[in-house]
């Protein structure tokens, strides 16, 4: 039995014999429980066209679903430390042509790692909203992350601070 200090979710707790020690499975269950509360909006043709008419700028960013957690945390930090904005994970933008391509997740649970990254940033608290957008034909999902401006500094997973300026 572990006593004295115990780390859980990057926080240190004092633990004595009267405390139940959280197990990693508990954390996975909590994340799955959070994922299950998100529903997906099936996009109408009109909303799909609107989504693809959005240009990347100071308030909007498209990211392919293969972006690393480290790079994703930089973007979240940059948005939160600026004016906020929307990040669409699962849409790839070609660098040269600026053409966007839907590369959605096969199921909502496939976006778990991105939600884990956001939830691991201690000062982001409730300054974000998550929404899943479902393609009407492909039936795959894009994760829309709406980041709000915070009063505190949001650091990346490796402790660095970014601010979004232009795009």
């Amino acid at each position: 039995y572990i006593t004295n200090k115990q780390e859980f979710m990057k926080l240190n707790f004092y633990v004595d014999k009267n405390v139940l020690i959280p197990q990693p499975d508990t954390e996975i269950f909590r994340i799955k429980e959070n994922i299950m509360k998100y529903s997906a909006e099936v996009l109408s043709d009109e909303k799909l066209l609107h989504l693809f008419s959005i240009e990347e700028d100071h308030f909007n960013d498209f990211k392919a679903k293969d972006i690393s957690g480290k790079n994703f945390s930089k973007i979240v930090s940059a948005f939160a430390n600026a004016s906020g904005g929307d990040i669409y994970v699962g849409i790839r933008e070609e660098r040269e042509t600026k053409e966007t391509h839907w590369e959605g997740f096969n199921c909502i649970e496939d976006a778990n790692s991105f939600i884990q990254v956001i939830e691991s940033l201690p000062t982001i608290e409730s300054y974000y909203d998550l929404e899943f957008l479902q393609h009407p034909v492909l039936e795959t999902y894009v994760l829309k992350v709406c980041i709000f401006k915070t009063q505190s500094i949001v650091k990346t997973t490796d402790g660095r601070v970014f601010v979004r300026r232009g795009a």
Side-chain angles (χ1 to χ4, degrees):
Y1 197 85
I2 299 171
T3 58
N4 296 321
K5 291 184 179 179
Q6 175 66 33
E7 181 184 331
F8 180 67
M9 291 181 58
K10 299 183 182 178
L11 299 172
N12 288 316
F13 293 92
Y14 179 78
V15 179
D16 65 19
K17 63 181 181 174
N18 299 313
V19 177
L20 291 174
I21 299 172
Q23 299 297 315
D25 291 346
T26 307
E27 175 62 7
I28 291 168
F29 176 75
R30 187 185 68 79
I31 290 166
K32 284 187 176 185
E33 187 177 66
N34 284 344
I35 292 286
M36 291 172 65
K37 74 180 177 187
Y38 300 113
S39 59
E41 175 188 358
V42 178
L43 297 178
S44 65
D45 290 343
E46 183 179 320
K47 286 186 177 183
L48 189 61
L49 286 172
H50 172 73
L51 176 62
F52 281 102
S53 72
I54 296 172
E55 293 184 22
E56 281 193 333
D57 59 19
H58 187 70
F59 301 104
N60 296 288
D61 204 352
F62 295 113
K63 292 297 165 199
K65 64 183 182 180
D66 60 359
I67 185 173
S68 72
K70 181 178 178 180
N71 286 336
F72 182 66
S73 77
K74 289 178 186 179
I75 295 160
V76 172
S77 170
F79 271 96
N81 296 326
S83 300
D86 295 330
I87 307 166
Y88 298 88
V89 183
I91 298 179
R92 180 181 300 275
E93 182 183 68
E94 300 295 331
R95 287 184 191 209
E96 295 81 30
T97 64
K98 300 292 182 191
E99 238 180 64
T100 52
H101 305 278
W102 183 284
E103 294 183 337
F105 299 98
N106 291 327
C107 63
I108 289 174
E109 290 79 14
D110 290 346
N112 279 359
S113 62
F114 297 101
I115 296 170
Q116 286 177 305
V117 167
I118 294 168
E119 290 183 347
S120 74
L121 305 175
T123 55
I124 193 89
E125 297 165 355
S126 60
Y127 292 98
Y128 68 93
D129 190 36
L130 303 175
E131 180 182 4
F132 286 93
L133 309 175
Q134 186 177 20
H135 193 285
V137 176
L138 302 175
E139 296 184 356
T140 56
Y141 302 90
V142 162
L143 172 60
K144 178 183 177 184
V145 181
C146 182
I147 303 292
F148 308 118
K149 170 102 175 103
T150 65
Q151 297 301 316
S152 56
I153 302 298
V154 175
K155 295 180 180 179
T156 62
T157 52
D158 61 1
R160 296 172 54 198
V161 176
F162 288 84
V163 178
R164 190 165 175 89
R165 294 193 175 113

